[in-house]
Amino acid sequence: MNITVLGEAKFESPIGHSVSDSLLIPENIVIDPASTAKDDLKFELAGPRSKLFFDPKNTRAGIVTCGGLCPGLNNVIRSLFLELHHAYGVKQVIGFRGGYQGLDPVNGKEPVVLTPKFVHSIHKEGGTVLGTSRGPVDIRIAVDNLIQREVNMIFTVGGDGTQRGGNELFQEAKKRGYPLAVVGVPKTIDNDVAFVTRTFGYMTAVSEASKVLSNAHNEAISVENGIALVKLMGRNAGFVAAGATIACQDVNFALLPEVAFKLEGPNGFLAALKKRVLERSHALVVVAEGAGQDLFTADEMKKDDSGNIKAKDIGVFLRDTIGKYFKNENIPVVIRYIDPSYIVRSSAANSEDAILCDMFARNAVHAAMAGKTGLVIGYMHDRFIHVPIDLLTSRKKSMDPLSFQWKAVQASTGQVAQFK
């Protein structure tokens, strides 16, 4: 995939090694000789280039974090700054506060100038020291602000909504002829970003969620006919629920957005839950927030400020439905409904995610310094790549019901077949 470059790179890079633009990573590394499909997409390998477009001593960089919280945001901010400051020696790095609203000088807070002292220990904290928000900003005003502040590059840290905003910044700056490098760092605990095998924060969220599941299991087994129902985040993809289920190994039923299920009937979920309770006197059920949306009556879809469709509350719906079902069956049960919600995404990053954050950030800096723009750092086949923003935001990643991970969920729960 071709990546937009602002112009000829003329400045020598201070980095001791470099990567050539000619090195490409294929989307698919599994070769099927019988396949008649056309060649897969191929992406530039990320990394430092031998020549820079921007002169570091005259370069000013900006960072903005948007959307929901995610473990590792402060790690990314810190690593972006350290690479820009120490490795390249850029003139100044500023952090725009409060998400994209911070790009509006009227409505946003004054940006903070980042220093080694400011970022010294931020990686040990959850959340984002720059603050965040949902919703767009007037792109013309935002680019006016960036030009007035002589910002040469902007790093957009966020999910697909954030990256769509980054694409608008890129297009507006391009239209004006202003050389602005826009480089995105993909962020979401849902792990549903295309061309990214694992987004930062996902493994920390899975770890936190699996602790909740273990405690929920204790609640269920400590009473007669105990049913623990846990709702986890995952609007369009059930990767967090699936990962936590496999890690915990105590879950009996996992309900994900990618796999439809029926409630009623001899092969429905309620019948399977009844069988489990009668046989084992307890059950642990995990449901992703986007699962079972077809069970609700159709009405006007509501969206949040980032343009994402708001899911109906499947957790409360299942809690009430399960309670009513067992009452009608004259089977006494104790239901413990647990919704950890935002708790699993607000902690500091674990070691695995901290390393991933650092790599995403440093590769983003390398791309921007070389004058590359309109891209997001991707991660496939254990390699970091350059993905055009418009391509990345045109797709969504979800769990394949035929995948190894879903089969692992079924094996660990005993949920051999989904409820139909």
Side-chain angles (χ1 to χ4, degrees):
M1 298 301 299
N2 293 326
I3 298 296
T4 301
V5 181
L6 293 171
E8 182 183 357
K10 300 178 180 180
F11 300 97
E12 290 292 333
S13 171
I15 308 299
H17 64 284
S18 63
V19 172
S20 170
D21 284 347
S22 63
L23 297 180
L24 304 176
I25 301 295
E27 180 182 11
N28 188 3
I29 60 173
V30 177
I31 299 175
D32 181 2
S35 175
T36 58
K38 296 181 179 179
D39 291 341
D40 288 324
L41 298 173
K42 295 179 177 63
F43 299 91
E44 278 187 2
L45 181 64
R49 268 38 182 187
S50 60
K51 296 284 188 178
L52 309 180
F53 176 79
F54 294 106
D55 180 3
K57 66 179 182 293
N58 294 318
T59 297
R60 180 175 285 108
I63 303 171
V64 62
T65 55
C66 306
L69 295 185
C70 178
L73 281 168
N74 287 330
N75 301 67
V76 171
I77 294 168
R78 186 176 192 272
S79 291
L80 285 170
F81 171 77
L82 292 178
E83 189 72 10
L84 288 161
H85 181 77
H86 290 303
Y88 284 98
V90 301
K91 177 181 179 180
Q92 189 179 68
V93 183
I94 60 177
F96 290 96
R97 299 193 290 176
Y100 276 142
Q101 299 303 317
L103 296 182
D104 185 335
V106 175
N107 298 320
K109 298 178 180 179
E110 183 66 17
V112 59
V113 176
L114 302 186
T115 64
K117 182 178 180 181
F118 182 89
V119 305
H120 175 66
S121 59
I122 62 174
H123 58 296
K124 300 176 183 179
E125 305 169 9
T128 165
V129 293
L130 296 181
T132 185
S133 65
R134 292 192 182 276
V137 64
D138 188 311
I139 293 300
R140 293 169 299 177
I141 292 175
V143 172
D144 282 342
N145 189 24
L146 293 172
I147 293 173
Q148 290 171 5
R149 293 181 181 276
E150 298 181 337
V151 172
N152 308 107
M153 58 186 65
I154 181 76
F155 298 97
T156 58
V157 187
D160 53 358
T162 301
Q163 304 313 331
R164 285 193 293 269
N167 192 46
E168 292 180 14
L169 290 173
F170 158 60
Q171 297 293 347
E172 180 67 18
K174 180 180 178 182
K175 184 171 68 175
R176 299 193 194 187
Y178 180 68
L180 177 70
V182 181
V183 179
V185 179
K187 170 235 72 179
T188 172
I189 66 165
D190 288 348
N191 198 35
D192 60 352
V193 179
F195 311 110
V196 181
T197 303
R198 189 174 78 254
T199 49
F200 75 83
Y202 167 69
M203 292 305 295
T204 304
V206 167
S207 178
E208 294 298 314
S210 65
K211 295 175 186 176
V212 173
L213 297 186
S214 293
N215 291 338
H217 180 251
N218 292 336
E219 289 284 348
I221 64 176
S222 297
V223 294
E224 186 71 15
N225 290 352
I227 300 175
L229 171 63
V230 181
K231 185 181 78 171
L232 295 175
M233 301 188 79
R235 185 188 301 111
N236 301 304
F239 289 110
V240 171
T245 294
I246 297 168
C248 174
Q249 293 286 311
D250 287 325
V251 177
N252 306 117
F253 302 98
L255 308 175
L256 310 184
E258 295 89 339
V259 186
F261 63 94
K262 282 182 59 178
L263 286 176
E264 309 292 343
N267 297 319
F269 165 70
L270 293 173
L273 180 60
K274 173 184 173 181
K275 182 174 184 292
R276 165 75 193 185
V277 170
L278 291 178
E279 290 179 351
R280 299 295 298 275
S281 298
H282 74 277
L284 174 56
V285 182
V286 174
V287 59
E289 63 179 318
Q293 294 301 300
D294 59 313
L295 301 175
F296 296 94
T297 56
D299 57 9
E300 184 180 358
M301 291 293 185
K302 295 182 179 180
K303 296 184 178 182
D304 62 22
D305 291 337
S306 294
N308 301 309
I309 295 175
K310 288 185 176 181
K312 303 294 180 58
D313 198 331
I314 186 63
V316 171
F317 174 80
L318 282 181
R319 179 198 65 189
D320 296 344
T321 301
I322 290 170
K324 182 178 179 181
Y325 173 80
F326 278 93
K327 183 178 181 179
N328 291 337
E329 293 289 316
N330 201 28
I331 301 173
V333 294
V334 178
I335 301 175
R336 306 296 193 203
Y337 177 56
I338 301 169
D339 180 4
S341 190
Y342 303 110
I343 299 301
V344 303
R345 73 180 193 183
S346 55
S347 65
N350 63 17
S351 297
E352 185 172 13
D353 274 330
I355 294 171
L356 190 61
C357 289
D358 186 76
M359 293 182 180
F360 267 118
R362 295 184 189 279
N363 279 296
V365 171
H366 295 322
M369 291 301 299
K372 297 180 182 295
T373 185
L375 72 122
V376 179
I377 301 299
Y379 179 55
M380 294 194 313
H381 318 314
D382 205 30
R383 295 291 187 274
F384 291 88
I385 57 174
H386 296 156
V387 184
I389 298 178
D390 54 356
L391 175 63
L392 182 133
T393 56
S394 69
R395 298 190 186 182
K396 272 288 198 182
K397 185 176 72 175
S398 59
M399 184 176 297
D400 183 353
L402 299 177
S403 68
F404 181 83
Q405 190 170 14
W406 174 242
K407 297 303 179 184
V409 169
Q410 291 180 308
S412 67
T413 60
Q415 190 177 318
V416 178
Q418 194 69 359
F419 316 106
K420 299 179 180 178

